[in-house]
Amino acid sequence: MTSASYIFLAGASRGVGREIAQYLTAQQLKVKALLRTAAVATELEKIGIEVVLGDALNVEDVERAMLTDEPIHTVISTIGGLPSEGERADYPGNRNLIDAAVKAGVQKFILVSSIGAGNSVVALSPQVLVALGTVLAEKDKAEQHLIASGLTYTIIRPGGLKSEPATGNGVLTEDPHISGSINRADVAQLVARCLNSERANNKIFSAIDRNMQFGQREFAEFTLE
């Protein structure tokens, strides 16, 4: 990254996105965040993040935020809606971000998806798939749109997310059969490590805590260096 470029973050208001925002600013990186509401804008601005109000579901909002004179090095998206929130952002919101990233000449796009999307459907039990099938189908469509966009991408599919401090035991694997849990703060660290890793380019990973794996399946951990 150059000092003039920045990271564009969608989903910074909560969850993994908030953890990523805190981690990146602690690394002295320039971050711009797209927020739907001003509720947490002040909190993010206090840690040095530039906030742009807008809805990822609105193409004009996304393009206004991203198509500026400042070059974007990487877009990171963690957006997704809960079923109770009406239209889910998982596919249409990410589609808008991806399309704008292409127009903006972004160097890399990191999408935080979920174990169970795409070929990692094999990692989940039938009961979980019944509960999450609709959500995972939307996430899969977002992944496919990113892959087809021509952008350099990294797709990270975390397992079950926990709100505990980072353990440092978060790992990435290309094995789609792996499932488990991982703390949101560890996902944030893995995302940050993928930023400048060429080995992560055009890869799809599952992400779990090596001490929170479900089952005993052996798998190869992916090294980013």
Side-chain angles (χ1 to χ4, degrees):
M1 284 184 61
T2 66
S3 59
S5 63
Y6 66 94
I7 297 165
F8 188 92
L9 178 59
S13 63
R14 63 186 182 191
V16 172
R18 175 66 75 90
E19 294 286 349
I20 292 171
Q22 293 171 333
Y23 192 84
L24 294 180
T25 52
Q27 307 296 310
Q28 307 299 313
L29 295 171
K30 286 174 60 178
V31 181
K32 182 186 288 187
L34 179 70
L35 293 181
R36 268 190 307 183
T37 68
V40 298
T42 303
E43 294 172 42
L44 292 176
E45 287 169 345
K46 280 181 181 174
I47 60 172
I49 289 176
E50 181 184 344
V51 171
V52 180
L53 292 179
D55 190 337
L57 291 171
N58 185 305
V59 174
E60 290 76 18
D61 284 0
V62 173
E63 292 192 345
R64 175 176 48 81
M66 291 176 64
L67 302 181
T68 70
D69 293 336
E70 294 180 290
I72 302 172
H73 181 276
T74 301
V75 174
I76 301 172
S77 175
T78 67
I79 63 172
L82 301 173
S84 60
E85 293 177 351
E87 184 179 13
R88 300 187 57 87
D90 295 272
Y91 173 57
N94 279 313
R95 179 189 61 210
N96 291 340
L97 290 166
I98 292 162
D99 292 348
V102 172
K103 290 183 180 181
V106 167
Q107 293 185 43
K108 194 168 192 173
F109 195 113
I110 300 177
L111 176 64
V112 178
S113 182
S114 176
I115 286 180
N119 65 345
S120 66
V121 66
V122 296
L124 301 186
S125 69
Q127 295 90 335
V128 174
L129 288 175
V130 167
L132 298 179
T134 304
V135 179
L136 294 172
E138 291 290 294
K139 290 185 182 296
D140 180 53
K141 284 162 68 176
E143 291 184 7
Q144 294 304 316
H145 193 74
L146 176 56
I147 291 166
S149 71
L151 291 166
T152 298
Y153 66 85
T154 302
I155 295 169
I156 298 176
R157 300 167 172 164
L161 294 166
K162 297 185 174 184
S163 296
E164 302 290 335
T167 66
N169 292 315
V171 294
L172 299 173
T173 180
E174 292 184 275
D175 187 337
H177 296 85
I178 294 304
S179 64
S181 297
I182 185 168
N183 294 345
R184 289 178 173 86
D186 285 300
V187 177
Q189 291 187 11
L190 291 172
V191 167
R193 288 177 59 207
C194 286
L195 270 175
N196 295 309
S197 170
E198 292 194 5
R199 294 205 73 221
N201 289 352
N202 303 323
K203 295 284 189 179
I204 302 175
F205 301 116
S206 294
I208 64 168
D209 188 297
R210 65 166 62 92
N211 296 327
M212 300 183 202
Q213 182 185 352
F214 300 158
Q216 301 297 314
R217 181 184 176 91
E218 292 188 7
F219 67 94
E221 295 181 11
F222 189 90
T223 55
L224 292 169
E225 284 77 26

